[in-house]
Amino acid sequence: MTDRENALLAAVPNQLFIGGAWVDATGGTTFAVHDPATGQVVREVADATPDDGIRALDSAVAAQESWAATAPRARSEILRRAWELVQERAEDLALLMTVEMGKPLVEARGEVAYGGEFLRWFSEEAVRVHGRYGSNPEGTGQMIVSQHPVGPSYFITPWNFPFAMATRKIAPALAAGCTTVLKPAEATPLTSLFFAQLLAEAGLPAGVVNVVTTTSASRISAPLIADPRLRKLSFTGSTGVGRKLIAQAADTVLRVSMELGGNAPFVIFDDADLDKAVEGALAAKFRNIGQACTAANRFIVHERIAEEFAERITARVAAMRIGRGTEEGVTIGPLIDDDAVAKAAELVADAAARGAVVRTGGTRIDRPGSFYEPTVLTGVATGSAILREEIFGPVLAITTFTTEDEAVRLANDTEYGLVSYVYTRDLARGHRMIDRLETGMMGLNVGVVSNAAAPFGGVKQSGVGREGGFEGIHEYLATKYTLIPND
Ligand code: NAD
């Protein structure tokens, strides 16, 4: 670790943020945060207990009424100020993410820009929450439809985008007038703690955002979800955990937003611009070392161009520079932990046993930290686990198709429906694919779609609800209808 990294880490708060104060966990317990590129412990942070979780909810509940009554313009200005502070501290935030999560620094900077944008976007949306007013069809009364903050909200976020997954929930909630409790992933708590400090600096009143870091995700979450004072749960993570949380939320009929797993198809037709398809494929597959819900999981390539695509992409992948994300020119950092490496290795072994050819990569890298070689597989057979499961690693698996109908059938052959990528020069075909693919988002001739101004979310078992765009704030608003008779 460099002196700069040490100084930055030492300055990050490592306690719980509850009611506007930094406090120890009950019993003073802590847990270690690691750098996945070296395996080194970089900081100890407070390990919250279920009582601490309830204390955080108490403080969110206590702050709810006055935050909801705060003028939208005032809420907007705090969000705007938070966005400005993120710009000022962008380099620190990026470095912190690279250290605790492993992504290359250039990508961490990209996440700061992307994640920060939710603060700016929702600072603008905060003052544009509108209702409706009109006569009823019978002409006997006036109908008013108004929007109100849903209330205290609980957020559970994953480790792969430690900053953006938090801002994507916190910004619309604050804009709508909701108070919040955030539980970041155990592997990456530092980014959220740093961000909480920026929110306080931006003038956010005590109790509006609370952060509890913990190794006991389910023990902390269950009592919060069961508490009738909680009005909203927003979760980003795996579909398996999402299912459990939806079941828990059923008891109090809690409103939920679920941003779950993906198994994105990347379909390349034989009329595609192959140069663009190769660039798009590299971005869609290897961003975040393949650890993105939006990562292209299955490359479905027309048989006429499949070999040329495989050769070109293999050459690029074989030349990728692997290392700690802080090193110049590195595009492949470590995976989050050794389990992730083992999973990538198992999926590759299963595909190879079923006849796939390893064109490059295919092995764990022998160095400290959790590294797996960027890998390209061709001839991946139907039935291979890699086509069914989220890879969450730097492995690009290619299968082929002949007809458009077959491409559609293969692309939709999954329980997930988060994002799909399609490359074609044929406009009519592009429109047909928009209609026919079962997906919440689509990149037509582009490999990255995320944008704070767009509704992010999935269909099927990729989730419910949308984050970002005009839709994002409505996840935190309750619609109220009032009838006023004319006489
Ligand atoms: P995960 O489901 O293991 O964990 C996500 C969060 O849930 C963490 O904070 C974890 O501590 C918490 N958690 C785990 N078990 C819990 C339980 N029983 N009760 C309450 N909380 C619990 O997922 P992960 O490994 O951190 O992240 C990777 C997954 O997230 C992938 O499936 C990926 O596709 C998905 N993801 C989805 C999106 C999206 O927007 N759709 C974005 C990023 C990641």
Side-chain angles (χ1 to χ4, degrees):
M1 298 241 289
T2 63
D3 289 348
R4 163 135 195 265
E5 289 167 22
N6 281 323
L8 172 62
L9 285 158
V12 177
N14 65 348
Q15 293 168 291
L16 311 177
F17 188 58
I18 298 180
W22 294 99
V23 295
D24 283 335
T26 306
T29 46
T30 62
F31 66 97
V33 182
H34 296 88
D35 176 347
T38 60
Q40 269 182 348
V41 174
V42 296
R43 189 96 164 108
E44 289 280 332
V45 303
D47 193 358
T49 65
D51 282 350
D52 297 325
I54 292 296
R55 274 201 289 153
L57 179 60
D58 291 344
S59 113
V61 169
Q64 178 58 51
E65 197 177 326
S66 65
W67 183 243
T70 301
R73 176 59 74 200
R75 297 199 298 254
S76 162
E77 277 168 2
I78 290 172
L79 284 168
R80 175 76 192 195
R81 179 72 192 125
W83 175 76
E84 287 165 1
L85 287 172
V86 165
Q87 309 316 302
E88 286 168 24
R89 303 298 299 276
E91 275 305 296
D92 286 344
L93 254 174
L95 181 58
L96 199 54
M97 271 195 280
T98 292
V99 169
E100 70 172 343
M101 185 272 162
K103 69 181 70 192
L105 199 49
V106 57
E107 291 189 24
R109 291 186 182 117
E111 182 176 344
V112 174
Y114 169 59
E117 206 48 41
F118 289 94
L119 299 166
R120 182 159 66 164
W121 174 263
F122 285 108
S123 81
E124 293 156 355
E125 292 297 282
V127 291
R128 312 211 193 300
V129 173
H130 302 301
R132 298 202 305 272
Y133 177 84
S135 293
N136 63 1
E138 296 75 19
T140 57
Q142 302 299 311
M143 304 168 88
I144 299 174
V145 179
S146 49
Q147 301 291 336
H148 305 266
V150 68
S153 304
Y154 180 44
F155 300 150
I156 305 175
T157 52
W159 48 265
N160 60 344
F161 291 98
F163 181 57
M165 297 304 98
T167 57
R168 226 161 70 167
K169 299 183 190 307
I170 288 174
L174 299 192
C178 297
T179 60
T180 66
V181 176
L182 168 67
K183 191 214 77 61
E186 177 183 339
T188 56
L190 299 174
T191 304
S192 296
L193 294 170
F194 186 93
F195 177 49
Q197 196 176 34
L198 293 189
L199 286 172
E201 262 180 63
L204 195 69
V208 176
V209 170
N210 304 276
V211 182
V212 284
T213 52
T214 184
T215 53
S216 315
S218 60
R219 288 203 308 119
I220 291 257
S221 300
L224 256 72
I225 294 169
D227 193 314
R229 296 174 302 164
L230 186 75
R231 296 301 163 78
K232 170 84 194 186
L233 167 66
S234 179
F235 169 75
T236 296
S238 58
T239 294
V241 173
R243 281 190 199 105
K244 285 188 204 158
L245 295 174
I246 292 170
Q248 290 175 29
D251 284 344
T252 53
V253 194
L254 184 62
R255 248 178 97 173
V256 297
S257 299
M258 293 279 146
E259 297 288 347
L260 307 178
N263 180 1
F266 192 107
V267 181
I268 312 177
F269 286 98
D270 57 353
D271 62 10
D273 179 330
L274 215 50
D275 292 337
K276 286 192 179 152
V278 167
E279 295 308 322
L282 291 168
K285 178 71 253 182
F286 293 101
R287 193 167 68 107
N288 228 32
I289 319 126
Q291 304 167 116
C293 53
T294 50
N297 218 58
R298 297 167 294 148
F299 285 79
I300 301 168
V301 187
H302 193 277
E303 59 180 6
R304 207 172 60 74
I305 54 161
E307 183 50 32
E308 187 186 348
F309 174 73
E311 278 170 21
R312 289 173 63 174
I313 203 95
T314 299
R316 296 287 295 275
V317 172
M320 284 178 165
R321 176 134 184 247
I322 301 159
R324 189 166 185 252
T326 48
E327 292 161 22
E328 194 61 36
V330 161
T331 50
I332 297 289
L335 295 183
I336 191 68
D337 55 27
D338 287 348
D339 286 350
V341 174
K343 179 168 183 202
E346 265 167 42
L347 291 174
V348 170
D350 171 76
R354 294 167 192 265
V357 177
V358 180
R359 304 288 284 257
T360 184
T363 51
R364 182 188 175 124
I365 299 170
D366 187 17
R367 58 178 277 170
S370 306
F371 287 88
Y372 191 82
E373 279 184 321
T375 300
V376 176
L377 303 176
T378 51
V380 177
T382 315
S384 302
I386 205 164
L387 300 180
R388 240 184 5 258
E389 293 176 28
E390 264 192 301
I391 303 170
F392 246 59
V395 183
L396 190 154
I398 301 175
T399 60
T400 58
F401 72 92
T402 314
T403 65
E404 186 176 312
D405 283 347
E406 190 187 358
V408 169
R409 186 180 54 72
L410 289 172
N412 288 339
D413 185 18
T414 169
E415 68 191 19
Y416 297 105
L418 189 60
V419 60
S420 302
Y421 305 96
V422 173
Y423 276 74
T424 177
R425 282 195 178 100
D426 181 337
L427 188 60
R429 172 179 275 153
H431 280 286
R432 284 198 298 279
M433 297 301 276
I434 295 174
D435 274 346
R436 298 182 74 188
L437 293 187
E438 298 167 352
T439 188
M441 299 176 283
M442 182 158 153
L444 188 53
N445 297 317
V446 65
V448 177
V449 296
S450 303
N451 191 310
F456 188 106
V459 297
K460 293 159 79 178
Q461 294 188 37
S462 286
V464 287
R466 292 292 180 270
E467 292 187 322
F470 161 75
E471 291 82 353
I473 198 168
H474 286 274
E475 301 286 316
Y476 299 96
L477 291 169
T479 299
K480 185 179 285 177
Y481 151 61
T482 305
L483 177 65
I484 310 174
N486 288 337
D487 51 21

